[in-house]
Coordinates of all heavy atoms in Angstrom, one line a residue:
M1 N -8.1 22.9 -7.4 CA -7.3 21.7 -7.5 C -6.2 21.8 -6.4 O -5.6 22.9 -6.2 CB -6.7 21.6 -8.9 CG -7.7 21.2 -10.0 SD -8.4 19.7 -9.9 CE -7.2 18.6 -10.7
A2 N -5.7 20.7 -6.1 CA -4.6 20.6 -5.3 C -3.6 19.6 -5.8 O -4.0 18.6 -6.5 CB -4.9 20.1 -3.8
K3 N -2.3 19.8 -5.6 CA -1.3 18.9 -6.0 C -0.7 18.2 -4.8 O -0.3 18.9 -3.8 CB -0.2 19.6 -6.8 CG 0.9 18.7 -7.2 CD 2.1 19.4 -7.8 CE 3.3 18.6 -8.1 NZ 4.5 19.3 -8.3
V4 N -0.8 16.9 -4.7 CA -0.3 16.1 -3.6 C 0.9 15.4 -4.0 O 0.8 14.6 -4.9 CB -1.4 15.2 -3.0 CG1 -0.9 14.5 -1.9 CG2 -2.8 16.1 -2.6
T5 N 1.9 15.6 -3.3 CA 3.1 14.7 -3.6 C 3.3 13.7 -2.4 O 3.2 14.2 -1.2 CB 4.4 15.6 -3.7 OG1 4.3 16.5 -4.7 CG2 5.7 14.8 -3.9
L6 N 3.6 12.5 -2.7 CA 3.7 11.5 -1.7 C 5.2 11.1 -1.6 O 5.8 10.6 -2.6 CB 2.9 10.2 -2.1 CG 1.4 10.5 -2.1 CD1 0.9 10.7 -3.6 CD2 0.6 9.4 -1.4
L7 N 5.7 11.1 -0.4 CA 7.1 10.6 -0.2 C 7.0 9.3 0.6 O 5.9 9.1 1.3 CB 7.9 11.6 0.7 CG 7.9 13.0 0.1 CD1 8.6 13.9 1.1 CD2 8.7 13.0 -1.2
P8 N 7.8 8.4 0.6 CA 9.2 8.5 -0.1 C 9.1 8.1 -1.6 O 10.1 8.3 -2.2 CB 10.0 7.4 0.7 CG 9.0 6.4 1.0 CD 7.8 7.2 1.4
A9 N 7.9 7.8 -2.1 CA 7.9 7.4 -3.5 C 8.2 8.6 -4.4 O 8.7 8.5 -5.5 CB 6.5 6.9 -3.9
D10 N 7.9 9.9 -3.9 CA 8.1 11.1 -4.7 C 7.3 11.1 -6.0 O 7.9 11.3 -7.1 CB 9.6 11.3 -4.9 CG 9.9 12.8 -5.2 OD1 9.0 13.6 -5.0 OD2 10.9 13.1 -5.8
V11 N 6.1 10.7 -5.9 CA 5.2 10.9 -7.0 C 4.0 11.9 -6.6 O 3.7 12.0 -5.4 CB 4.6 9.5 -7.5 CG1 5.7 8.7 -8.1 CG2 3.8 8.8 -6.3
S12 N 3.4 12.4 -7.7 CA 2.4 13.5 -7.4 C 1.1 13.1 -8.1 O 1.1 12.4 -9.1 CB 2.8 14.8 -7.8 OG 4.0 15.2 -7.2
A13 N 0.0 13.6 -7.6 CA -1.3 13.6 -8.3 C -2.0 14.8 -8.0 O -1.9 15.5 -7.1 CB -2.1 12.4 -7.7
Q14 N -2.9 15.2 -9.0 CA -3.7 16.4 -8.9 C -5.1 15.8 -8.4 O -5.6 14.9 -8.9 CB -4.0 17.0 -10.2 CG -2.8 17.4 -11.0 CD -2.3 18.9 -10.5 OE1 -3.1 19.6 -9.9 NE2 -1.1 19.2 -10.8
V15 N -5.6 16.5 -7.3 CA -7.0 16.1 -6.8 C -7.8 17.4 -6.8 O -7.3 18.5 -6.6 CB -6.9 15.4 -5.5 CG1 -6.2 14.0 -5.6 CG2 -6.3 16.3 -4.5
S16 N -9.1 17.1 -6.9 CA -10.1 18.2 -6.8 C -10.3 18.7 -5.3 O -10.2 17.8 -4.4 CB -11.4 17.9 -7.4 OG -11.2 17.5 -8.7
A17 N -10.7 19.9 -5.1 CA -11.0 20.3 -3.7 C -12.2 19.4 -3.3 O -13.1 19.1 -4.0 CB -11.4 21.8 -3.7
G18 N -12.1 19.0 -2.0 CA -13.1 18.1 -1.4 C -12.9 16.7 -1.5 O -13.6 15.9 -1.0
E19 N -11.8 16.3 -2.3 CA -11.5 14.8 -2.3 C -10.6 14.5 -1.0 O -10.0 15.3 -0.4 CB -10.7 14.6 -3.6 CG -11.6 14.6 -4.8 CD -10.9 13.9 -6.1 OE1 -10.1 14.5 -6.7 OE2 -11.1 12.7 -6.2
L20 N -10.8 13.2 -0.7 CA -10.0 12.7 0.4 C -8.6 12.6 0.1 O -8.1 12.3 -1.1 CB -10.5 11.3 0.8 CG -11.9 11.4 1.4 CD1 -12.5 9.9 1.5 CD2 -12.0 12.0 2.8
L21 N -7.7 12.8 1.0 CA -6.3 12.7 0.8 C -5.8 11.2 0.3 O -5.0 11.1 -0.5 CB -5.6 13.0 2.2 CG -4.1 13.3 2.1 CD1 -3.7 14.3 1.0 CD2 -3.7 13.9 3.5
I22 N -6.6 10.3 0.8 CA -6.3 8.9 0.4 C -6.5 8.7 -1.1 O -5.7 7.9 -1.7 CB -7.0 7.8 1.3 CG1 -6.4 6.5 1.2 CG2 -8.5 7.9 0.9 CD1 -6.9 5.5 2.2
E23 N -7.4 9.5 -1.7 CA -7.6 9.3 -3.1 C -6.4 9.8 -3.9 O -6.2 9.4 -5.0 CB -8.9 10.1 -3.5 CG -10.1 9.4 -3.0 CD -11.4 10.3 -3.0 OE1 -11.3 11.3 -3.7 OE2 -12.4 9.9 -2.4
A24 N -5.7 10.8 -3.3 CA -4.5 11.4 -4.1 C -3.5 10.2 -4.3 O -2.9 10.0 -5.3 CB -3.9 12.5 -3.3
G25 N -3.4 9.4 -3.2 CA -2.3 8.3 -3.3 C -2.8 7.3 -4.3 O -2.0 6.8 -5.2
E26 N -4.1 7.0 -4.3 CA -4.6 6.1 -5.3 C -4.4 6.5 -6.8 O -4.0 5.9 -7.6 CB -6.1 5.7 -5.0 CG -6.1 4.8 -3.8 CD -7.4 4.6 -3.1 OE1 -8.4 5.1 -3.7 OE2 -7.5 4.0 -2.0
K27 N -4.6 7.9 -7.0 CA -4.5 8.4 -8.3 C -2.9 8.4 -8.6 O -2.7 8.3 -9.9 CB -5.0 9.9 -8.3 CG -6.4 10.0 -8.3 CD -6.9 11.5 -8.5 CE -8.4 11.5 -8.8 NZ -8.8 12.9 -8.8
A28 N -2.1 8.5 -7.7 CA -0.7 8.5 -8.0 C -0.1 7.1 -8.1 O 1.0 7.0 -8.5 CB 0.1 9.3 -6.9
G29 N -0.9 6.2 -7.9 CA -0.5 4.7 -8.1 C 0.3 4.3 -6.9 O 1.1 3.4 -7.0
V30 N 0.1 4.9 -5.7 CA 0.8 4.5 -4.6 C -0.1 3.7 -3.7 O -1.3 4.0 -3.5 CB 1.3 5.8 -3.8 CG1 1.9 5.4 -2.4 CG2 2.3 6.5 -4.7
D31 N 0.4 2.6 -3.1 CA -0.4 1.8 -2.2 C -0.6 2.7 -0.8 O 0.4 3.0 -0.3 CB 0.4 0.5 -1.8 CG 0.0 -0.5 -2.8 OD1 -1.0 -0.5 -3.6 OD2 0.8 -1.5 -2.9
M32 N -1.8 2.9 -0.5 CA -2.0 3.6 0.8 C -2.4 2.7 1.9 O -3.4 1.9 1.6 CB -3.2 4.6 0.5 CG -2.9 5.7 -0.6 SD -1.5 6.8 -0.2 CE -2.2 7.9 0.9
E33 N -1.8 2.6 2.9 CA -2.2 1.9 4.1 C -3.6 2.4 4.5 O -3.8 3.5 4.8 CB -1.2 2.1 5.3 CG 0.0 1.3 5.4 CD -0.2 -0.2 5.4 OE1 -0.9 -0.7 6.3 OE2 0.6 -0.8 4.6
A34 N -4.5 1.4 4.8 CA -5.7 1.8 5.3 C -6.4 0.6 5.8 O -6.2 -0.5 5.4 CB -6.6 2.5 4.2
G35 N -7.3 0.8 6.8 CA -8.0 -0.3 7.4 C -9.5 -0.1 7.3 O -10.2 -0.6 6.5
C36 N -9.9 0.8 8.1 CA -11.4 1.0 8.3 C -12.1 2.0 7.3 O -13.2 1.9 7.1 CB -11.7 1.6 9.8 SG -11.0 3.3 9.9
F37 N -11.3 2.8 6.7 CA -11.8 3.9 5.8 C -12.9 4.7 6.6 O -13.8 5.3 5.9 CB -12.4 3.3 4.6 CG -11.3 2.8 3.6 CD1 -11.1 1.4 3.6 CD2 -10.7 3.6 2.8 CE1 -10.0 0.9 2.8 CE2 -9.6 3.0 1.9 CZ -9.3 1.7 2.0
N38 N -12.8 4.8 7.9 CA -13.9 5.4 8.6 C -13.4 6.2 9.7 O -14.1 6.4 10.7 CB -14.9 4.3 9.0 CG -16.1 4.8 9.6 OD1 -16.6 5.9 9.1 ND2 -16.7 4.2 10.6
C39 N -12.1 6.6 9.6 CA -11.7 7.5 10.7 C -11.6 6.9 12.1 O -11.9 7.6 13.0 CB -12.4 8.8 10.6 SG -11.5 10.3 11.1
S40 N -11.4 5.7 12.2 CA -11.4 5.1 13.5 C -10.2 4.2 13.9 O -10.0 3.9 15.1 CB -12.7 4.4 13.8 OG -12.9 3.3 12.9
C41 N -9.4 3.7 12.8 CA -8.3 2.8 13.2 C -6.9 3.4 13.3 O -6.1 2.9 14.1 CB -8.4 1.6 12.3 SG -7.7 2.0 10.7
G42 N -6.7 4.5 12.5 CA -5.4 5.0 12.5 C -4.4 4.5 11.6 O -3.3 4.9 11.5
T43 N -4.7 3.4 10.9 CA -3.8 2.8 10.0 C -3.3 3.7 8.9 O -2.2 3.6 8.4 CB -4.5 1.6 9.3 OG1 -5.2 0.8 10.3 CG2 -3.4 0.7 8.5
C44 N -4.1 4.7 8.5 CA -3.8 5.4 7.3 C -3.1 6.7 7.7 O -3.0 7.6 6.8 CB -5.1 5.8 6.7 SG -6.2 6.9 7.6
V45 N -2.4 6.8 8.8 CA -1.7 8.0 9.3 C -0.6 8.3 8.4 O 0.2 7.4 7.9 CB -1.3 7.8 10.7 CG1 -0.2 6.8 10.9 CG2 -0.9 9.2 11.3
V46 N -0.4 9.6 8.0 CA 0.8 10.1 7.3 C 1.2 11.4 8.0 O 0.6 12.0 8.6 CB 0.5 10.4 5.8 CG1 0.1 9.1 5.0 CG2 -0.6 11.4 5.6
E47 N 2.6 11.7 7.7 CA 3.1 12.9 8.1 C 2.9 13.9 7.0 O 3.1 13.6 5.9 CB 4.6 12.8 8.4 CG 5.3 14.0 8.8 CD 6.8 13.8 8.8 OE1 7.3 12.7 8.7 OE2 7.5 14.8 9.1
V48 N 2.4 15.1 7.5 CA 2.2 16.2 6.5 C 3.5 17.1 6.5 O 3.8 17.7 7.5 CB 1.0 17.1 6.8 CG1 0.9 18.2 5.9 CG2 -0.3 16.2 6.8
V49 N 4.3 17.0 5.5 CA 5.6 17.6 5.5 C 5.4 19.1 5.0 O 6.0 20.0 5.6 CB 6.5 17.0 4.4 CG1 7.8 17.6 4.3 CG2 6.7 15.5 4.7
R50 N 4.5 19.4 4.2 CA 4.1 20.7 3.8 C 2.7 20.9 3.4 O 2.0 19.8 2.9 CB 4.9 21.2 2.5 CG 6.4 21.6 2.7 CD 6.8 22.7 1.8 NE 6.5 22.3 0.4 CZ 7.4 21.6 -0.3 NH1 8.6 21.2 0.3 NH2 7.2 21.3 -1.6
G51 N 2.1 22.0 3.6 CA 0.7 22.3 3.1 C -0.4 21.9 4.1 O -1.5 21.7 3.6
M52 N -0.1 21.8 5.4 CA -1.2 21.5 6.4 C -2.3 22.5 6.1 O -3.5 22.2 6.4 CB -0.5 21.5 7.8 CG -1.6 21.1 8.9 SD -2.2 19.4 8.7 CE -1.0 18.6 9.8
E53 N -1.9 23.8 5.8 CA -3.0 24.8 5.8 C -3.9 24.5 4.5 O -5.0 25.2 4.4 CB -2.3 26.2 5.6 CG -1.5 26.5 4.3 CD -0.1 26.1 4.4 OE1 0.2 25.1 5.1 OE2 0.7 26.7 3.7
F54 N -3.5 23.6 3.6 CA -4.4 23.3 2.5 C -5.2 22.0 2.8 O -5.9 21.5 1.8 CB -3.6 23.1 1.2 CG -2.7 24.2 0.9 CD1 -1.4 24.2 0.7 CD2 -3.3 25.5 0.8 CE1 -0.6 25.2 0.3 CE2 -2.5 26.7 0.5 CZ -1.2 26.5 0.2
L55 N -5.3 21.5 4.0 CA -6.1 20.4 4.4 C -7.2 21.0 5.3 O -7.0 21.9 6.1 CB -5.3 19.4 5.2 CG -4.1 18.8 4.3 CD1 -3.3 17.8 5.2 CD2 -4.6 18.0 3.1
E56 N -8.4 20.4 5.2 CA -9.4 20.7 6.0 C -9.1 20.4 7.5 O -8.3 19.5 7.8 CB -10.7 20.1 5.7 CG -11.1 20.6 4.2 CD -12.6 20.6 4.0 OE1 -13.4 19.9 4.6 OE2 -12.9 21.4 3.1
E57 N -9.7 21.1 8.4 CA -9.5 21.0 9.8 C -9.9 19.5 10.3 O -10.9 19.1 9.8 CB -10.3 22.0 10.7 CG -9.9 23.4 10.5 CD -8.6 23.7 11.1 OE1 -8.5 23.5 12.3 OE2 -7.8 24.3 10.4
P58 N -9.2 19.0 11.2 CA -9.5 17.7 11.7 C -10.9 17.7 12.5 O -11.2 18.6 13.1 CB -8.4 17.3 12.6 CG -7.7 18.5 13.0 CD -7.9 19.5 11.9
T59 N -11.6 16.6 12.3 CA -12.9 16.4 13.0 C -12.4 15.9 14.4 O -11.4 15.4 14.6 CB -13.7 15.3 12.3 OG1 -13.0 14.1 12.4 CG2 -14.2 15.7 10.9
P60 N -13.4 16.0 15.4 CA -13.1 15.4 16.7 C -12.8 13.9 16.6 O -11.9 13.5 17.4 CB -14.5 15.6 17.5 CG -15.2 16.8 16.8 CD -14.7 16.6 15.3
E61 N -13.4 13.1 15.7 CA -13.0 11.7 15.6 C -11.5 11.5 15.2 O -10.8 10.7 15.7 CB -13.9 11.0 14.5 CG -15.4 10.9 14.8 CD -16.2 12.2 14.7 OE1 -15.7 13.1 14.0 OE2 -17.2 12.3 15.3
E62 N -11.2 12.3 14.1 CA -9.8 12.2 13.7 C -8.8 12.6 14.9 O -7.8 11.9 15.1 CB -9.5 13.1 12.5 CG -8.1 12.9 11.9 CD -7.7 13.8 10.8 OE1 -8.7 14.5 10.2 OE2 -6.6 13.8 10.3
L63 N -9.1 13.6 15.6 CA -8.2 14.1 16.7 C -8.1 13.0 17.8 O -7.0 12.8 18.3 CB -8.7 15.4 17.3 CG -8.6 16.6 16.4 CD1 -9.3 17.9 17.2 CD2 -7.1 16.9 16.2
D64 N -9.3 12.4 18.0 CA -9.2 11.2 19.0 C -8.3 10.1 18.7 O -7.5 9.6 19.4 CB -10.6 10.6 19.1 CG -11.5 11.3 20.2 OD1 -10.9 12.1 20.8 OD2 -12.6 10.7 20.4
V65 N -8.4 9.7 17.3 CA -7.6 8.6 16.9 C -6.1 9.0 16.9 O -5.2 8.3 17.3 CB -8.0 8.1 15.5 CG1 -7.1 7.1 15.0 CG2 -9.4 7.7 15.5
L66 N -5.7 10.3 16.4 CA -4.4 10.7 16.4 C -3.8 10.6 17.8 O -2.7 10.4 18.1 CB -4.3 12.1 15.7 CG -4.5 12.2 14.3 CD1 -4.6 13.5 13.8 CD2 -3.3 11.5 13.5
D67 N -4.6 11.1 18.8 CA -4.3 11.1 20.2 C -4.0 9.7 20.7 O -2.9 9.5 21.4 CB -5.3 11.8 20.9 CG -5.0 12.1 22.4 OD1 -3.9 12.6 22.6 OD2 -5.7 11.6 23.3
Q68 N -4.8 8.7 20.3 CA -4.5 7.4 20.7 C -3.3 6.9 20.2 O -2.5 6.0 20.9 CB -5.6 6.4 20.1 CG -6.9 6.5 20.9 CD -8.0 5.8 20.1 OE1 -7.8 4.9 19.4 NE2 -9.3 6.3 20.2
W69 N -2.8 7.3 19.1 CA -1.5 6.8 18.5 C -0.4 7.8 18.9 O 0.7 7.7 18.3 CB -1.7 6.8 16.9 CG -2.5 5.6 16.5 CD1 -3.9 5.5 16.6 CD2 -2.1 4.4 15.9 NE1 -4.3 4.2 16.1 CE2 -3.2 3.6 15.6 CE3 -0.8 3.9 15.5 CZ2 -3.1 2.3 15.1 CZ3 -0.7 2.7 15.0 CH2 -1.9 1.9 14.7
N70 N -0.7 8.8 19.7 CA 0.4 9.7 20.1 C 0.9 10.4 18.9 O 2.1 10.7 18.8 CB 1.5 9.1 20.9 CG 1.1 8.7 22.2 OD1 0.3 9.4 22.9 ND2 1.5 7.5 22.8
K71 N 0.1 10.8 18.0 CA 0.5 11.6 16.8 C 0.1 13.1 16.9 O -1.2 13.3 17.1 CB 0.0 11.0 15.5 CG 0.4 9.6 15.2 CD 1.9 9.6 14.8 CE 2.4 8.2 14.5 NZ 3.8 8.0 14.3
D72 N 1.0 14.0 16.8 CA 0.6 15.4 16.9 C -0.2 15.8 15.7 O 0.3 15.7 14.5 CB 2.0 16.2 16.9 CG 1.8 17.6 16.9 OD1 0.6 18.1 16.9 OD2 2.8 18.3 17.1
P73 N -1.4 16.3 15.9 CA -2.3 16.7 14.8 C -1.8 17.9 14.0 O -2.3 18.2 12.9 CB -3.6 17.0 15.4 CG -3.4 17.1 16.8 CD -2.1 16.4 17.2
E74 N -0.7 18.6 14.5 CA -0.1 19.7 13.7 C 0.8 19.0 12.6 O 1.2 19.8 11.7 CB 0.7 20.5 14.6 CG 0.1 21.0 15.8 CD -0.7 22.3 15.5 OE1 -0.1 23.1 14.7 OE2 -1.8 22.4 15.9
K75 N 1.1 17.7 12.8 CA 2.2 17.2 11.8 C 1.6 15.9 11.2 O 2.1 15.5 10.1 CB 3.4 16.7 12.6 CG 4.2 17.9 13.2 CD 5.6 17.4 13.5 CE 6.4 18.5 14.2 NZ 6.7 18.2 15.6
F76 N 0.6 15.2 11.8 CA 0.1 14.0 11.1 C -1.3 14.1 10.9 O -2.1 14.8 11.8 CB 0.4 12.8 12.2 CG 1.8 12.6 12.4 CD1 2.6 13.2 13.3 CD2 2.5 11.6 11.5 CE1 3.9 13.0 13.4 CE2 3.9 11.4 11.7 CZ 4.6 12.0 12.6
R77 N -1.8 13.4 9.9 CA -3.2 13.3 9.6 C -3.6 11.9 9.2 O -2.7 11.2 8.8 CB -3.6 14.4 8.5 CG -3.3 15.8 8.8 CD -4.1 16.3 9.9 NE -5.5 16.2 9.8 CZ -6.2 17.2 9.3 NH1 -5.6 18.3 8.9 NH2 -7.6 17.1 9.0
L78 N -4.8 11.6 9.1 CA -5.4 10.4 8.6 C -6.0 10.6 7.3 O -6.9 11.3 7.1 CB -6.5 9.9 9.6 CG -6.0 9.7 11.1 CD1 -7.3 9.3 11.9 CD2 -5.0 8.7 11.2
T79 N -5.4 9.8 6.3 CA -5.7 10.1 4.9 C -7.2 9.7 4.5 O -7.7 10.3 3.6 CB -4.8 9.5 3.9 OG1 -4.9 8.0 4.1 CG2 -3.3 9.9 4.1
C80 N -7.8 8.9 5.3 CA -9.2 8.5 5.0 C -10.2 9.5 5.5 O -11.3 9.4 5.2 CB -9.5 7.1 5.5 SG -10.0 7.0 7.2
C81 N -9.7 10.5 6.3 CA -10.6 11.4 7.0 C -10.6 12.7 6.3 O -11.5 13.5 6.5 CB -10.3 11.6 8.4 SG -10.0 10.1 9.4
V82 N -9.3 13.1 5.9 CA -9.1 14.6 5.6 C -9.4 14.9 4.2 O -8.9 14.1 3.3 CB -7.7 15.0 6.1 CG1 -6.6 14.1 5.6 CG2 -7.5 16.4 5.9
R83 N -10.1 15.9 3.9 CA -10.4 16.4 2.5 C -9.4 17.5 2.2 O -9.0 18.4 3.1 CB -11.7 16.9 2.4 CG -12.7 15.7 2.5 CD -14.2 16.0 2.3 NE -15.0 14.9 2.6 CZ -15.1 13.8 1.8 NH1 -14.7 13.8 0.6 NH2 -15.9 12.8 2.2
V84 N -9.0 17.6 1.0 CA -8.0 18.6 0.6 C -8.8 19.9 0.1 O -9.9 19.7 -0.3 CB -7.0 18.1 -0.5 CG1 -6.3 16.8 -0.1 CG2 -7.8 17.8 -1.9
K85 N -8.0 21.0 0.2 CA -8.7 22.3 -0.3 C -8.0 22.5 -1.6 O -8.5 22.2 -2.7 CB -8.4 23.3 0.7 CG -9.2 23.0 2.0 CD -9.4 24.2 3.0 CE -8.2 24.4 3.8 NZ -8.6 25.3 5.0
E86 N -6.8 23.1 -1.6 CA -6.2 23.5 -2.9 C -4.6 23.7 -2.5 O -4.3 23.7 -1.3 CB -6.7 24.8 -3.4 CG -6.6 25.9 -2.4 CD -7.2 27.2 -2.9 OE1 -7.8 27.2 -4.0 OE2 -7.1 28.2 -2.2
G87 N -3.8 24.0 -3.5 CA -2.4 24.3 -3.2 C -1.6 23.0 -3.2 O -2.0 22.0 -3.7
E88 N -0.4 23.2 -2.7 CA 0.6 22.0 -2.7 C 0.8 21.4 -1.5 O 1.2 22.1 -0.5 CB 2.0 22.6 -3.3 CG 1.9 22.9 -4.7 CD 3.3 22.7 -5.4 OE1 4.1 21.9 -4.9 OE2 3.5 23.4 -6.4
I89 N 0.6 20.1 -1.4 CA 0.7 19.4 -0.2 C 1.6 18.3 -0.4 O 1.7 17.7 -1.4 CB -0.7 18.8 0.1 CG1 -1.8 19.8 0.2 CG2 -0.7 17.9 1.4 CD1 -3.2 19.4 -0.1
V90 N 2.6 18.1 0.7 CA 3.5 17.0 0.6 C 3.3 16.2 1.8 O 3.3 16.7 2.9 CB 5.0 17.5 0.6 CG1 6.0 16.4 0.5 CG2 5.2 18.5 -0.6
I91 N 3.1 14.8 1.6 CA 2.9 13.9 2.7 C 4.0 12.8 2.7 O 4.5 12.5 1.6 CB 1.5 13.3 2.7 CG1 1.2 12.5 1.5 CG2 0.5 14.4 3.0 CD1 -0.1 11.8 1.6
R92 N 4.2 12.3 3.9 CA 5.2 11.2 3.9 C 4.6 10.0 4.6 O 4.0 10.1 5.6 CB 6.5 11.6 4.7 CG 7.5 10.5 4.8 CD 8.6 10.8 5.7 NE 9.2 12.2 5.6 CZ 10.1 12.6 4.7 NH1 10.6 11.7 3.8 NH2 10.5 13.8 4.6
Q93 N 4.6 8.8 3.8 CA 4.1 7.6 4.3 C 5.0 7.0 5.3 O 6.3 7.1 5.1 CB 3.7 6.7 3.3 CG 2.7 7.1 2.3 CD 2.4 6.1 1.2 OE1 3.3 6.0 0.3 NE2 1.3 5.4 1.3
P94 N 4.5 6.4 6.4 CA 5.5 5.6 7.3 C 6.2 4.5 6.7 O 5.6 3.9 5.8 CB 4.6 5.2 8.4 CG 3.1 5.5 8.1 CD 3.2 6.2 6.7
Q95 N 7.4 4.3 7.0 CA 8.2 3.1 6.5 C 7.7 1.9 7.3 O 7.7 2.0 8.5 CB 9.6 3.4 6.6 CG 10.0 4.7 6.0 CD 10.1 4.6 4.5 OE1 10.4 3.5 3.9 NE2 9.7 5.6 3.9
H96 N 7.6 0.8 6.6 CA 7.2 -0.5 7.3 C 8.4 -1.5 7.2 O 9.1 -1.4 6.3 CB 6.0 -1.1 6.7 CG 4.8 -0.2 7.0 ND1 4.2 -0.1 8.2 CD2 4.1 0.7 6.2 CE1 3.2 0.8 8.2 NE2 3.2 1.3 6.9
Ligands
FES1 S1 -8.3 3.7 7.4 FE1 -8.8 3.6 9.5 S2 -8.5 5.7 10.2 FE2 -8.2 5.8 8.1

């Protein structure tokens, strides 16, 4: 299991290993920005504040999209693409 905390709402959800990061937001009752759900539009980008080591490595597709948006893959991930492993993860949604 992993615990995912979403900022700025500051709410958390428990998710099983192998679930998508976007599902953590849905479980926590937070609206998650998303468009394609297919790792190609970049709408679902979030900043990983803590716990990058508890997320699976980015796929080449995810790295491509992050690059298009000039987002450093060491700090930002696409929630529809990335599966969680375990541990404590803190992410921050962009402000609109
Ligand atoms: S919703 Fe399009 S990349 Fe995640």
